[in-house]
Amino acid sequence: MNAKAGDGPQDGGFGAVEFRIDRSVPGVFAAGVSGQGGDAKAAARRWRHFVQTARAHGKSWLMVSRDLEGPVLSEAALARMMAMLSDIDLEGLRIAIVQPRLERQHIDELGALIAMEQGGMVRVFGDETSALIWLRHGSNDEPPRRGE
């Protein structure tokens, strides 16, 4: 579904992307985003929108499937994006990022680690089936720290 059809911002502030919202998965706010990536500010606005929309719909499970083209965010751009999102309350929200593109998984995994440091439960998956299994049945425990 295109963002202009009501699932995304009407002002186009999310970059050259389309959103797909899947309301058929019980208990999960499932969003897909495709199009042109590489803009940290637009990505921050998208993530803020997804988290706020999931919360507004009373969902504690968020799955975002990403199919973006174009440049991959640099680590510095990712750090700026995560700083823009540092005020978002992730308490009680489990977030699964579905990233099938290997060249983009590294930066998504780094973003997930930063989000975990900010209190989120976040994991990156290569497919939606694995992501849904984790959302529904995964551990609420923190991942083990090195040396433990």
Side-chain angles (χ1 to χ4, degrees):
M1 186 177 295
N2 190 306
K4 294 180 181 169
D7 287 321
Q10 299 302 311
D11 66 2
F14 286 178
V17 298
E18 291 185 0
F19 294 168
R20 295 167 314 286
I21 305 300
D22 182 353
R23 293 178 175 88
S24 68
V25 183
V28 178
F29 181 79
V33 60
S34 60
Q36 187 70 25
D39 181 337
K41 289 181 182 177
R45 286 189 290 271
R46 288 191 297 267
W47 277 107
R48 184 175 297 280
H49 175 73
F50 292 145
V51 169
Q52 290 174 341
T53 304
R55 294 250 192 240
H57 285 92
K59 306 293 184 183
S60 58
W61 298 336
L62 169 61
M63 179 174 70
V64 178
S65 298
R66 298 167 37 89
D67 184 20
L68 298 173
E69 298 177 357
V72 176
L73 288 180
S74 67
E75 290 183 11
L78 176 69
R80 288 191 300 275
M81 181 190 89
M82 296 304 291
M84 288 182 244
L85 297 171
S86 64
D87 64 323
I88 292 181
D89 177 18
L90 298 177
E91 182 73 30
L93 186 63
R94 186 187 295 255
I95 302 170
I97 301 168
V98 179
Q99 179 53 267
R101 295 180 181 225
L102 291 176
E103 72 275 11
R104 293 182 175 275
Q105 282 184 354
H106 166 76
I107 204 69
D108 284 348
E109 289 172 353
L110 183 56
L113 288 172
I114 295 169
M116 287 167 45
E117 289 177 352
Q118 296 174 350
M121 285 187 291
V122 186
R123 293 231 2 232
V124 178
F125 299 88
D127 63 89
E128 289 186 358
T129 300
S130 299
L132 286 170
I133 290 170
W134 177 76
L135 283 172
R136 292 184 177 131
H137 307 290
S139 171
N140 286 330
D141 296 337
E142 286 187 41
R145 304 209 187 280
R146 286 187 179 186
E148 290 185 4

